[in-house]
Amino acid sequence: MQDRKPLYLMTPALAWLTAFMVIPCLLILALAFFRRGLYGGIEYTFTLENLALVFDPLYAGIFLKSAWIAGLAALIAVIIGYAAAFAIAAAPSRQQPILLFFAVLPFWSNYLVRTYAWIVLLNREGLITGLARWLGYDAELPRLLYTEGAVVVGLVYNYLPFVILACYAPLSRLNPEIAEASRDLGASGWTTFRRVVLPMTAPGIATGFVFVFVLSIGNFVTPALLGGGQFQMIGNLVYAQFLTANDWPFGAALSMILIAIMMGLLTLQTFATERASGAKREGS
Amino acid sequence: MASLANPRLMLVILAAVFAFLYVPISVLVALSFNEGGLPTAWTGFSTKWYGELLRNGDIMSAAFNTLVVALVSTALATLFGSLLAVGVEIRRRKGRFLETIIFAPMIIPDIVLAIALLSFFSLLNVTMGLHTVILSHVVFNLAFVCSVVRARLKTFDWSIVEASTDLGASMPVTLFRIVLPVMLPAIIAGALLAFTLSVDEFIIAFFTAGAGRDSITLPMQIFAMIRFGVTPEINALATIVMAVSVVALTLSQRLNRGGLPGQ
Amino acid sequence: MTQPLLSLRNVEKHFGTVRAVDGFSLDIQENEFFALLGASGSGKTTLLRMLAGFETLTGGEILLDGKDISQVPPNRRPVNLMFQSYALFPHMSIAQNIAYGLEMEKCSKSEIKRRVGEMLEIIQLSHLAGRKPDQLSGGQRQRVALGRALIKRPRLLLLDEPLGALDKKLRGDMQLELKRLQHEIGITFIIVTHDQEEALVMADRVAILKDGKLLQCATPRDIYEHPNSRYSADFIGVMNFLPATLRQGQVIAANGQPVAAQLPEGLSEGNDVVVAIRPERLQVAAYRGGGGPRGRVLATAYHGLDLQLHLQTNLSSEPITVRLTAQEAEQTALSEGDEVELGWNAKDTRVFAA
Ligand SMILES: Nc1ncnc2c1ncn2[C@@H]1O[C@H](COP(=O)(O)OP(=O)(O)OP(=O)(O)O)[C@@H](O)[C@H]1O
Ligand SMILES: [Mg+2]
């Protein structure tokens, strides 16, 4: 009974996922190898041009820029997020779920609205400018909105809750006696943190970093809203291929790259996790 | 952890992080009640911008569309996702392939799924509109419902299912009379989560809604409005949208006792 | 000879390489109170689940009233299982839990009401009919689980360690309660336990399982008096084992002395054996200089009216237990440190291969 029956329970969902996820994803995988038609359609002849185009120096700038912004956002998010997760894990255990709930709550509210909140703060007539005037700073402020910095802040702001969550998980599982044992063996607080706590919680950091990086590099909303279209990320490039340039095969190839980056990082992360758990075994 | 932490430093970190998380949205909420509507000067409390929203036909029709999309996709996703969860957890053997398929909708970047669905629908010559948005939203919604329900099923006492069979119930009767009532809080929690995800979802809707003005959802409308700058109306709209999420998620968390998904 | 209610014919269940139930046959008569006894992992639960229909057989057949039920799904078998965890439906009241099985049989509302009322009466929970399972004590829950299964009037009721979760005192009460109910309602019970005392108190017949095999199946008294293997001898009651060897038709103890023992069949010259003797079959007296088995009292302990002596003897390195009635104890008046000699009748021993 345990192995036959569940099939009919799973069929509707699996059929749905197959029809509207697996097949469409395989489809763009295939699209990436077709030629672009003369008037924007698709010509069904095999080609590697699209993939080659991805590595064209023309786009190298966009790739580097995307990677730089995504990497910076991921790094900042991980530093802040880890500190926050550590502080939550250090709080009295009764308060931890509440703190965590409020740290994560913004994550589940509308992404556009959260991004918009920064437009309100950063724009030329915005709150920060107002605050500066009110404090008596009359000189012209540098432009805040529509800058690289604004995009990074927006990405960090949006994905921070996720990082807190990812870092909190291993921190909360950490047996406090391990840290105490290290102190007992003569290590200072900082050494204990660096040699014991950090390695054991590295998988959470890695998860946080990978997800912020991947979600940022494929983002087109934040660069459009907070970057004001000043520069493009891979996400914007994909967007453009499908909605303006009408070069679907190239857009498909670009999104394959996104997936490849994600898979690559996730594999690395799994590898790192295994090493960390290996370290844990040695330590115990 | 407590033994390593300097309590005062921890407090400073928490205060700073929560300020960072909550000041921007709080400012937004406060401004939505500002009579004058300008961010730089408080001219008095008023709800007039909310009234403006009600008179804005575009916003109201987008809101209606979003409600339709969210309700229908949540209903379908809740049904399929819950059945899937039960089906997966009833099995003793866990398939890696199956796990990947179920997990994928939650981690695939939205833009990839969005263009994949766009290509899929156009190649099939499907006219796009709200119905295609619904079809697409069910994909990730069912994955989230499934994950919430599965988390609850981990602590589910399967012997009551066998007890029900033993007492003469067929599998469908057991599902309906035993599994469903016991799992209901988790299923509702999953549904509430799916509902907020669907209400808030922008990218996939943007790509799969087609070109028609009558299939614009609320996030699409908000995106269009934000690009033209800050208006008091958006502040009010943003506040409402956030309130819906917060209420739904708090309820969901209450029902689930296990916290937000992933928590 | 009447047809047995239940016949197991070479039933077996293998999980991969694990032989959970390793091919045995067994008949159970109508109205029997039958106990399955065995160490953890011996296949008791697996056997019950096969009877209830939750495990398919890998071999053999199960006949109920002479008909093979191997292919009948669990919800169509006139067999009910009382789960070890009770498996009460947490969202239903006690009365609803009990009514569930009848609703599945599509009984009329009025009949369900009447029979649930009667059952609540029998399990003495009428006053708690509206409560949810989590508002009950362990013993009350156990009775609900029992009532829920009994109300279906199954041909066969299976109970998987029904008393495992209860404390010792309550367990004693419940054993009598189960026995009373079984008598009153007249249903065949198969109960799983790994508490030998429980099996002795309740069961008409006991089957001892080991590693999926049936070692012995008999009345408790028979198993006590005539265990057919060292394992069954050890499993039920206290047993002394003396290591020995067979030589020239005699049983020679470890100290080289021949001892009184019933010579077994199927064991030959030179075999290492053990001689099994029940504590109450041993006689002791203050040492008077004989050359027979002797020892020293290590400790004395009262068990109710009986006195138990623990002796260090010249027969084995393990201490030996002797049980004396109050009367005997008074006559011999032994205390710690006393030297004793001991004896027994050959007919009270069993000899097994070591
Ligand atoms: N589903 C299963 N898959 C694999 N092996 C199993 C399964 N169920 C039981 N077994 C194995 O079969 C053997 C018998 O298990 P069973 O549960 O019947 O023992 P038991 O006598 O009821 O033990 P206990 O007294 O601990 O309840 C054990 O070795 C167990 O590991
Ligand atoms: Mg068992």
Side-chain angles (χ1 to χ4, degrees):
Chain A
M1 154 204 161
Q2 299 274 347
D3 278 292
R4 262 179 302 121
K5 292 277 161 72
L7 260 184
Y8 74 82
L9 299 174
M10 305 197 291
T11 307
L14 292 181
W16 200 284
L17 290 179
T18 308
F20 298 110
M21 182 184 73
V22 178
I23 293 178
C25 285
L26 291 176
L27 181 70
I28 49 162
L29 178 63
L31 270 187
F33 295 98
F34 289 130
R35 214 179 285 275
R36 177 194 184 187
L38 209 49
Y39 306 103
I42 298 148
E43 205 177 281
Y44 292 95
T45 47
F46 179 83
T47 175
L48 289 174
E49 270 170 28
N50 301 305
L51 286 176
L53 194 58
V54 169
F55 296 102
D56 192 291
L58 190 66
Y59 296 106
I62 294 181
F63 271 79
L64 285 179
K65 186 88 170 181
S66 305
W68 158 247
I69 290 182
L72 193 62
L75 188 68
I76 296 174
V78 160
I79 293 171
I80 302 179
Y82 191 85
F86 193 92
I88 293 176
S93 53
R94 290 239 325 273
Q95 292 170 17
Q96 290 184 19
I98 304 163
L99 286 172
L100 201 61
F101 176 74
F102 282 104
V104 176
L105 191 58
F107 192 56
W108 296 100
S109 70
N110 194 304
Y111 186 92
L112 293 170
V113 166
R114 281 179 288 150
T115 307
Y116 170 71
W118 282 95
I119 301 186
V120 172
L121 288 182
L122 298 178
N123 84 56
R124 204 180 293 264
E125 270 84 50
L127 210 75
I128 291 186
T129 314
L131 204 63
R133 298 252 164 75
W134 186 72
L135 288 173
Y137 184 88
D138 280 329
E140 183 74 3
L141 276 176
R143 194 170 67 174
L144 298 172
L145 194 58
Y146 304 142
T147 60
E148 227 174 84
V151 175
V152 172
V153 169
L155 293 172
V156 170
Y157 181 72
N158 275 308
Y159 297 133
L160 183 61
F162 181 83
V163 180
I164 295 178
L165 207 56
C167 292
Y168 175 79
L171 277 169
S172 68
R173 274 199 299 270
L174 207 59
N175 180 351
E177 282 171 16
I178 291 179
E180 280 159 17
S182 166
R183 297 295 295 264
D184 186 56
L185 293 171
S188 70
W190 171 245
T191 311
T192 300
F193 175 75
R194 199 167 48 85
R195 296 278 304 274
V196 178
V197 178
L198 203 56
M200 289 180 68
T201 53
I205 301 178
T207 309
F209 187 92
V210 171
F211 273 86
V212 178
F213 186 83
V214 172
L215 290 172
S216 300
I217 207 167
N219 204 307
F220 74 89
V221 174
T222 303
L225 294 178
L226 297 180
Q230 304 278 308
F231 52 85
Q232 293 196 310
M233 308 261 284
I234 302 183
N236 301 85
L237 210 51
V238 176
Y239 171 94
Q241 303 316 312
F242 276 85
L243 296 182
T244 52
N246 242 343
D247 188 350
W248 289 21
F250 182 48
L254 283 169
S255 61
M256 285 296 100
I257 297 300
L258 274 184
I259 296 273
I261 292 174
M262 184 176 82
M263 304 268 250
L265 287 176
L266 284 179
T267 314
L268 264 180
Q269 181 214 350
T270 314
F271 184 69
T273 310
E274 266 156 24
R275 270 197 47 175
S277 65
K280 210 182 294 176
R281 235 171 283 127
E282 279 162 34
S284 61
Chain B
M1 272 327 80
S3 68
L4 281 181
N6 171 345
R8 204 165 304 158
L9 179 64
M10 293 300 117
L11 218 56
V12 171
I13 292 176
L14 284 180
V17 170
F18 278 97
F20 177 62
L21 285 175
Y22 281 93
V23 165
I25 43 187
S26 310
V27 165
L28 199 65
V29 174
L31 286 182
S32 77
F33 293 106
N34 189 2
E35 164 90 64
L38 289 176
T40 37
W42 180 260
T43 49
F45 181 89
S46 147
T47 52
K48 77 172 186 196
W49 301 112
Y50 291 87
E52 290 294 315
L53 285 184
L54 291 177
R55 281 186 289 279
N56 185 325
D58 287 347
I59 290 178
M60 291 317 283
S61 94
F64 179 76
N65 286 343
T66 285
L67 203 62
V68 170
V69 168
L71 286 177
V72 178
S73 73
T74 298
L76 288 171
T78 304
L79 179 64
F80 297 162
S82 306
L83 288 177
L84 178 64
V86 175
V88 173
E89 287 299 317
I90 255 184
R91 282 160 62 102
R92 286 186 188 148
R93 275 180 264 122
K94 301 271 181 274
R96 229 185 131 68
F97 178 69
L98 189 66
E99 296 291 326
T100 312
I101 295 236
I102 298 173
F103 198 54
M106 298 196 277
I107 60 164
I108 291 184
D110 293 350
I111 180 122
V112 176
L113 193 56
I115 59 155
L117 283 161
L118 170 64
S119 319
F120 178 67
F121 290 134
S122 10
L123 283 186
L124 288 183
N125 277 325
V126 175
T127 328
M128 286 187 269
L130 282 187
H131 55 283
T132 41
V133 178
I134 291 172
L135 293 178
S136 312
H137 275 196
V138 173
V139 171
F140 60 83
N141 274 345
L142 84 80
F144 278 95
V145 171
C146 177
S147 94
V148 173
V149 175
R150 277 182 78 178
R152 169 69 183 82
L153 281 173
K154 298 263 188 247
T155 60
F156 183 77
D157 176 12
W158 287 100
S159 66
I160 64 175
V161 171
E162 288 190 341
S164 167
T165 313
D166 188 64
L167 292 170
S170 61
M171 201 58 177
V173 172
T174 300
L175 276 181
F176 202 74
R177 292 211 37 193
I178 305 296
V179 181
L180 183 67
V182 174
M183 291 303 299
L184 203 58
I187 292 174
I188 296 177
L192 284 167
L193 176 69
F195 183 79
T196 52
L197 285 174
S198 192
V199 165
D200 290 339
E201 205 287 325
F202 164 61
I203 297 172
I204 293 172
F206 186 69
F207 277 84
T208 57
R213 278 214 51 82
D214 50 358
S215 57
I216 286 182
T217 66
L218 201 53
M220 289 162 73
Q221 178 70 25
I222 292 176
F223 184 69
M225 290 165 71
I226 294 176
R227 299 189 91 167
F228 295 108
V230 177
T231 72
E233 257 178 37
I234 311 181
N235 296 344
L237 183 55
T239 302
I240 292 176
V241 169
M242 268 194 306
V244 169
S245 311
V246 168
V247 169
L249 280 157
T250 310
L251 274 179
S252 169
Q253 201 252 3
R254 271 284 154 84
L255 283 169
N256 208 13
R257 279 169 292 158
L260 293 177
Q263 203 167 308
Chain C
M1 171 99 196
T2 55
Q3 184 188 45
L5 172 70
L6 179 78
S7 298
L8 307 183
R9 303 243 176 100
N10 295 316
V11 288
E12 57 179 55
K13 177 71 190 180
H14 297 176
F15 296 105
T17 57
V18 180
R19 295 163 170 244
V21 172
D22 201 7
F24 57 75
S25 302
L26 188 65
D27 282 346
I28 292 176
Q29 304 297 331
E30 186 107 42
N31 284 335
E32 238 187 317
F33 198 126
F34 193 91
L36 292 171
L37 195 55
S40 190
S42 56
K44 308 180 296 289
T45 298
T46 308
L47 184 60
L48 281 203
R49 291 173 56 80
M50 284 157 78
L51 292 176
F54 293 116
E55 303 285 358
T56 51
L57 309 197
T58 37
E61 53 183 5
I62 298 174
L63 307 183
L64 188 72
D65 290 321
K67 286 188 286 291
D68 186 5
I69 57 165
S70 315
Q71 297 307 317
V72 180
N75 49 341
R76 304 254 170 72
R77 291 190 188 191
V79 172
N80 286 110
L81 178 59
M82 182 181 149
F83 290 76
Q84 189 163 6
S85 61
Y86 305 149
L88 299 181
F89 307 131
H91 59 298
M92 295 184 183
S93 70
I94 303 318
Q96 286 168 329
N97 261 281
I98 293 176
Y100 189 81
L102 293 183
E103 287 167 20
M104 294 306 126
E105 288 175 13
K106 306 263 169 353
C107 291
S108 70
K109 281 244 162 56
S110 58
E111 188 188 351
I112 292 179
K113 191 154 181 269
R114 183 177 56 77
R115 281 170 65 182
V116 169
E118 283 169 12
M119 187 48 73
L120 284 167
E121 207 62 37
I122 292 174
I123 59 172
Q124 299 166 0
L125 287 178
S126 306
H127 57 300
L128 300 178
R131 288 223 191 149
K132 294 276 172 67
D134 61 2
Q135 300 166 313
L136 298 184
S137 73
Q140 290 165 340
R141 268 181 231 173
Q142 187 252 340
R143 287 190 303 217
V144 177
L146 188 63
R148 189 177 69 174
L150 278 178
I151 200 168
K152 303 262 299 178
R153 296 181 188 148
R155 298 286 289 137
L156 185 59
L157 183 68
L158 313 169
L159 305 99
D160 194 355
E161 299 197 36
L163 309 179
L166 307 181
D167 64 44
K168 207 169 153 63
K169 166 84 177 62
L170 193 53
R171 189 149 18 146
D173 296 346
M174 283 300 162
Q175 287 168 358
L176 297 179
E177 183 88 2
L178 274 179
K179 190 98 183 129
R180 173 182 73 82
L181 281 171
Q182 196 252 351
H183 218 78
E184 220 164 83
I185 299 172
I187 288 177
T188 311
F189 275 31
I190 299 182
I191 188 168
V192 159
T193 169
H194 46 227
D195 179 349
Q196 45 116 349
E197 229 173 280
E198 195 165 289
L200 295 186
V201 172
M202 292 196 287
D204 300 325
R205 272 199 307 154
V206 177
I208 296 181
L209 302 188
K210 181 178 186 243
D211 299 334
K213 291 197 183 61
L214 179 66
L215 286 191
Q216 189 168 15
C217 174
T219 63
R221 192 189 164 86
D222 264 357
I223 294 185
Y224 191 83
E225 302 284 351
H226 308 290
N228 69 355
S229 65
R230 183 180 174 164
Y231 190 83
S232 345
D234 203 13
F235 213 91
I236 290 203
V238 181
M239 186 66 102
N240 293 304
F241 292 105
L242 307 174
T245 333
L246 288 188
R247 236 176 279 145
Q248 289 152 1
Q250 278 191 307
V251 180
I252 312 292
N255 66 355
Q257 286 181 345
V259 292
Q262 221 169 15
L263 275 185
E265 292 159 28
L267 291 173
S268 54
E269 191 69 14
N271 276 9
D272 285 335
V273 295
V274 286
V275 179
I277 319 162
R278 293 287 180 197
E280 66 274 20
R281 299 293 179 183
L282 289 166
Q283 292 119 33
V284 290
Y287 183 59
R288 283 186 307 255
R294 52 180 291 194
R296 195 161 40 83
V297 179
L298 291 177
T300 62
Y302 274 99
H303 284 262
L305 287 176
D306 294 349
L307 177 71
Q308 265 191 18
L309 299 177
H310 295 276
L311 307 179
Q312 185 63 59
T313 67
N314 60 355
L315 295 172
S316 74
S317 52
E318 296 289 312
I320 282 179
T321 308
V322 178
R323 201 154 91 200
L324 303 178
T325 61
Q327 213 176 6
E328 290 168 329
E330 214 160 286
Q331 282 165 8
T332 51
L334 292 168
S335 59
E336 221 176 293
D338 288 353
E339 294 288 327
V340 294
E341 48 188 30
L342 72 166
W344 61 86
N345 293 326
K347 73 167 174 48
D348 290 330
T349 62
R350 312 275 306 171
V351 177
F352 303 112

